[in-house]
Amino acid sequence: MAAIDALTSDILQCIFQIVTADAHKCLRYWKRTLPVLAICRRWRELTIHLVYSTVIIGDGPVIESSYMPVDVCSSSDIGTRNQNTNMDLLQSTGYIKHSRELVITQTPNEYPIQLLVFIKQALCNFSEWTGIRVLRLSFCMTIYNYELRAENGSEDNALAVQIAQDIAKKLCNVDTLAIRTMLDDEILIEFVESLGRCYFGQLKDIWWMTPGRIGSDCTSTRLTTCLLRHANNEQDMPLIRPQQLKSMRLVPFTNTFSWQCFRFDKQSNITFENLEHLSLESRHYGIRVPDGTPMTLENEELNIVFPSLRQLSLICVNITPEIIQPFAASPLTTVVFEGLLGSALQLHALKLNRLSMLKVSTWFGFTISDKKFCTDSNALFQSVKCAVVVFSVDIDDMAINAAGVYWPQLTHLELSSEYIADFALDLVPRVPSLVHFCVRAFNAGKNETEQSAQEYFEYLGKKYLQPSLSNITNVALSFAAGRPVIFDGLATDLFVHYLPKLQNIKLDNAV
């Protein structure tokens, strides 16, 4: 403990922020942080505001997940989890008045209006909610409710609207709203839309992950961060002022999305004056998307402009010149792409040499010839001169032909597969600028005995007898769990010998 006690409070505070980073996601994660409070008085004083700043009602999955955990196997179990909360503990300690975040994670049954009434009653048990700034609301989908539909029509809808308005009055100072539901239930959608309308004018951040519309048209909104998990082409969508946004994610970025939810000027320009981070993602995470075609950023009606954009992420988006063109004039410093390698060649239109970082994640399998992979990857990376160039490849039981590869500017290489022959060390001489090398071989060492592992590494030692001229300083290796004890030591010896400038090597289990 002496070494830890010697750390300053500022350093410990940074460490505790990392330790408690997931505490707000669900009650189970929150409980995992409680032992930190019991270590000593100093640790308690430094962490108590981090742990007790979140009130949680319901013990469903984290807000980013789409389904309940597999251990939830009965309707009664779901009902118990819905009522689990840390409110009693926070009230008994007196720290609930200092809470800044409220997380409500519920799994509706066949009567969703009863669940909304329960949420309202839970909030009415305590009067001082003025400190709450962040509201996270998640309605979870399970095999029990994925076909949930409203039965009582307008009566329950009106009650859902009233409950939303009552909650908004209770939590009057919320400026960050995160709502997620995959359920296309009439009552729940009416509730979350009403809640959005109540808050939309005072929000700084919105994370909207529902099949319905968001908020309402409000000229006084202060919105700076926006995630739209799903938007549609309905004409009564709200108008978000694009000038204030600094960060935005559009999921799914397809033809089901409509730019009509952003306010445009008389010349039909939508100008995101202060937007610095933009992510366009075609993945839909369980939401029904009628048309998966990527949405173009240009059309005859509107002109979309990004004069301050610095970071652009294109996730599973089939890039076309029409999608790329609006970003050519943006002051980009970072581009992240995930998708087909052939599509990534369109990134050259962004003038990649001006970037500080380029990251490309792709897949290499039987549908792509070895020659095609080498040709496309060489064309992408040979002329790029960024400070950091990352290439992440998921290999489908195939070996990359090292002789056909030449990536002179690549600084980070990440390879993932069931088993990577020779740990891809043949590639190292073809990547002269490489400093970070990551290999995830999920089955490496799985069926090895100590003797077979020793024989294999003896073979590799002879093959890579002479140290390379590589500049690699960091290596991360992931192997199968249950591998022989000597496997890691043999692998470490191999890499240390072959990479003379190696400073750090990390080994763990492939997941």
Side-chain angles (χ1 to χ4, degrees), residues 426-458:
D426 287 344
L427 289 172
V428 170
R430 311 295 297 176
V431 196
S433 299
L434 200 63
V435 294
H436 181 88
F437 190 38
C438 175
V439 176
R440 302 183 186 95
F442 303 110
N443 283 334
K446 184 176 182 180
N447 298 315
E448 299 279 0
T449 64
E450 289 196 3
Q451 182 178 349
S452 63
Q454 218 155 12
E455 291 173 354
Y456 179 62
F457 279 100
E458 284 178 5

Side-chain angles (χ1 to χ4, degrees), residues 347-460:
L347 294 174
H348 280 297
L350 297 177
K351 305 170 186 175
L352 299 179
N353 286 342
R354 63 185 171 140
L355 301 180
S356 299
M357 188 184 86
L358 170 67
K359 180 176 182 180
V360 175
S361 299
T362 189
W363 171 80
F364 174 44
F366 289 107
T367 59
I368 307 172
S369 68
D370 184 86
K371 183 177 180 181
K372 173 69 172 172
F373 175 83
C374 292
T375 301
D376 287 349
S377 60
N378 291 347
L380 178 61
F381 294 116
Q382 276 185 2
S383 59
V384 175
K385 297 180 180 179
C386 308
V388 177
V389 184
V390 183
F391 190 28
S392 181
V393 188
D394 192 345
I395 308 168
D396 186 11
D397 295 330
M398 297 183 69
I400 298 175
N401 179 14
V405 166
Y406 183 54
W407 304 325
Q409 309 301 331
L410 206 64
T411 60
H412 293 61
L413 178 60
E414 302 172 356
L415 302 175
S416 302
S417 185
E418 293 296 313
Y419 192 91
I420 299 178
D422 301 353
F423 306 111
L425 287 175
D426 287 344
L427 289 172
V428 170
R430 311 295 297 176
V431 196
S433 299
L434 200 63
V435 294
H436 181 88
F437 190 38
C438 175
V439 176
R440 302 183 186 95
F442 303 110
N443 283 334
K446 184 176 182 180
N447 298 315
E448 299 279 0
T449 64
E450 289 196 3
Q451 182 178 349
S452 63
Q454 218 155 12
E455 291 173 354
Y456 179 62
F457 279 100
E458 284 178 5
Y459 156 75
L460 293 180

Side-chain angles (χ1 to χ4, degrees), residues 206-499:
I206 183 170
W207 297 71
W208 196 267
M209 299 163 271
T210 82
R213 299 183 298 275
I214 61 174
S216 63
D217 182 7
C218 185
T219 56
S220 62
T221 177
R222 300 176 294 155
L223 209 62
T224 58
T225 301
C226 176
L227 179 150
L228 301 184
R229 179 54 66 86
H230 182 77
N232 53 35
N233 288 312
E234 297 183 34
Q235 296 303 308
D236 55 350
M237 288 191 68
L239 296 181
I240 300 172
R241 291 194 296 171
Q243 295 84 353
Q244 298 177 147
L245 291 176
K246 293 183 179 180
S247 176
M248 181 167 68
R249 285 178 61 196
L250 305 180
V251 187
F253 182 65
T254 67
N255 279 342
T256 58
F257 178 79
S258 173
W259 291 102
Q260 302 292 333
C261 62
F262 296 102
R263 189 181 299 277
F264 49 87
D265 59 24
K266 295 180 180 180
Q267 289 75 38
S268 297
N269 292 323
I270 301 179
T271 304
F272 294 88
E273 292 179 3
N274 297 301
L275 191 70
E276 296 181 355
H277 306 280
L278 174 63
S279 181
L280 309 179
E281 305 178 27
S282 282
R283 295 182 295 207
H284 55 79
Y285 298 100
I287 299 176
R288 298 180 181 86
V289 180
D291 183 1
T293 307
M295 176 90 174
T296 178
L297 289 167
E298 276 196 330
N299 55 52
E300 297 179 356
E301 299 177 358
L302 299 172
N303 180 35
I304 298 95
V305 184
F306 304 92
S308 302
L309 191 64
R310 297 190 176 278
Q311 180 174 326
L312 173 65
S313 296
L314 303 168
I315 311 299
C316 297
V317 174
N318 184 25
I319 299 179
T320 63
E322 291 76 21
I323 290 178
I324 286 291
Q325 193 278 333
F327 305 114
S330 302
L332 292 171
T333 59
T334 301
V335 171
V336 177
F337 171 80
E338 181 181 318
L340 298 177
L341 184 58
S343 180
L345 295 177
Q346 297 284 347
L347 294 174
H348 280 297
L350 297 177
K351 305 170 186 175
L352 299 179
N353 286 342
R354 63 185 171 140
L355 301 180
S356 299
M357 188 184 86
L358 170 67
K359 180 176 182 180
V360 175
S361 299
T362 189
W363 171 80
F364 174 44
F366 289 107
T367 59
I368 307 172
S369 68
D370 184 86
K371 183 177 180 181
K372 173 69 172 172
F373 175 83
C374 292
T375 301
D376 287 349
S377 60
N378 291 347
L380 178 61
F381 294 116
Q382 276 185 2
S383 59
V384 175
K385 297 180 180 179
C386 308
V388 177
V389 184
V390 183
F391 190 28
S392 181
V393 188
D394 192 345
I395 308 168
D396 186 11
D397 295 330
M398 297 183 69
I400 298 175
N401 179 14
V405 166
Y406 183 54
W407 304 325
Q409 309 301 331
L410 206 64
T411 60
H412 293 61
L413 178 60
E414 302 172 356
L415 302 175
S416 302
S417 185
E418 293 296 313
Y419 192 91
I420 299 178
D422 301 353
F423 306 111
L425 287 175
D426 287 344
L427 289 172
V428 170
R430 311 295 297 176
V431 196
S433 299
L434 200 63
V435 294
H436 181 88
F437 190 38
C438 175
V439 176
R440 302 183 186 95
F442 303 110
N443 283 334
K446 184 176 182 180
N447 298 315
E448 299 279 0
T449 64
E450 289 196 3
Q451 182 178 349
S452 63
Q454 218 155 12
E455 291 173 354
Y456 179 62
F457 279 100
E458 284 178 5
Y459 156 75
L460 293 180
K462 294 176 182 178
K463 183 175 181 180
Y464 301 106
L465 183 62
Q466 296 298 323
S468 70
L469 300 176
S470 171
N471 293 309
I472 295 176
T473 58
N474 295 282
V475 167
L477 304 174
S478 297
F479 303 134
R483 58 191 180 275
V485 176
I486 67 169
F487 198 90
D488 289 3
L490 295 172
T492 300
D493 292 342
L494 174 68
F495 276 82
V496 168
H497 169 75
Y498 190 64
L499 305 174

Side-chain angles (χ1 to χ4, degrees), residues 16 66 69 82 106 172 178 185 201 242 252 273 283 318 330 352 511:
F16 294 142
S66 303
N82 282 342
Q106 299 286 301
C172 56
D185 173 71
E273 292 179 3
R283 295 182 295 207
N318 184 25
S330 302
L352 299 179
V511 179

Side-chain angles (χ1 to χ4, degrees), residues 110-113 149-158 186-187:
E110 62 270 23
Y111 303 110
I113 194 64
R149 290 292 184 273
E151 296 182 358
N152 295 332
S154 58
E155 182 179 344
D156 282 348
N157 285 2
E186 181 181 345
I187 294 175

Side-chain angles (χ1 to χ4, degrees), residues 189-202:
I189 295 302
E190 188 71 46
F191 171 75
V192 297
E193 288 182 3
S194 299
L195 198 63
R197 282 192 291 271
C198 293
Y199 283 125
F200 200 69
Q202 66 191 61

